[in-house]
Amino acid sequence: MKSAIKLLITWCKAFVQQSKLQVKFNNRGGRLGQKAYLLNPQYIEVGYNCRIKEGYRIECYDNFAGVRLFPKLILEDGVIIGFNFTCLVADKVSIGKDTILASNVSIISENHGTNPESETPYHAQPLHTAPVLIGQGCWIGQNVSILPGVTIGDKCVIGSNSVVTKDIASYSLAVGCPARTIKTYDFTLHKWIKSHEKYHRTE
């Protein structure tokens, strides 16, 4: 009986949180999918005409292992996010205007402590956090993972299945695990240039 009551209370809290975030989306002309898990939506700022499809998991941690944290998720105007989005927010996470994310993208701004000498298991060790900043007009491909401390510049393209562990400069195309820049956009030639070619091009 107690477990059933606890489950009901948990469901009610999740419903209230979902409703609060739905209001933010509706007031700004956006669309929020269902079938989701949401924790602490008060730390989420939503711009106009944002969309998140079904199956998202957004968790904002303001306290972990007795340590106060300062999460903030910012979705600027026109952000579009595909199915099964995962975002773990224990620091600032910002997604720039008109950026689009394909399905199964993960953005992580925290990591558990991994001190093997501690008697505390990894899952209960204090979190290490770092902001994740994604610029405007980016295209993040399917199954991409973006890890703590990464800044991705404006108008970048991140290829499917990439794991982004380091900063990516604006107007770059990056792929791989870990992701590396393979092309940058040349505004003089008006086309994408392979990274090794730009150093050998004659003027």
Side-chain angles (χ1 to χ4, degrees), residues 98-109:
D98 295 324
T99 283
I100 54 176
L101 282 66
S103 298
N104 304 315
V105 169
S106 297
I107 298 176
I108 314 296
S109 68

Side-chain angles (χ1 to χ4, degrees), residues 78-117:
V79 169
I80 300 174
I81 298 175
F83 294 99
N84 304 318
F85 173 58
T86 295
C87 192
L88 305 183
V89 187
D91 208 305
K92 180 180 179 181
V93 175
S94 178
I95 303 178
K97 181 179 178 182
D98 295 324
T99 283
I100 54 176
L101 282 66
S103 298
N104 304 315
V105 169
S106 297
I107 298 176
I108 314 296
S109 68
E110 49 82 7
N111 198 1
H112 289 283
T114 53
N115 179 6
E117 297 183 12

Side-chain angles (χ1 to χ4, degrees), residues 161-172:
N161 300 307
S162 297
V163 179
V164 187
T165 61
K166 296 181 180 179
D167 293 353
I168 304 294
S170 294
Y171 309 106
S172 297

Side-chain angles (χ1 to χ4, degrees), residues 21 24-25 38-47 52 56-60 70-76 79 81 85-95 101 107 109 132 134:
L21 191 56
K24 288 185 178 182
F25 272 79
L38 179 65
L39 179 66
N40 292 326
Q42 66 269 29
Y43 299 113
I44 302 173
E45 292 183 5
V46 180
I52 300 181
Y56 63 87
R57 172 195 174 198
I58 300 175
E59 299 186 43
C60 299
F70 301 92
K72 175 64 75 175
L73 172 60
I74 301 171
L75 306 180
E76 295 185 3
V79 169
I81 298 175
F85 173 58
T86 295
C87 192
L88 305 183
V89 187
D91 208 305
K92 180 180 179 181
V93 175
S94 178
I95 303 178
L101 282 66
I107 298 176
S109 68
V132 176
I134 301 174

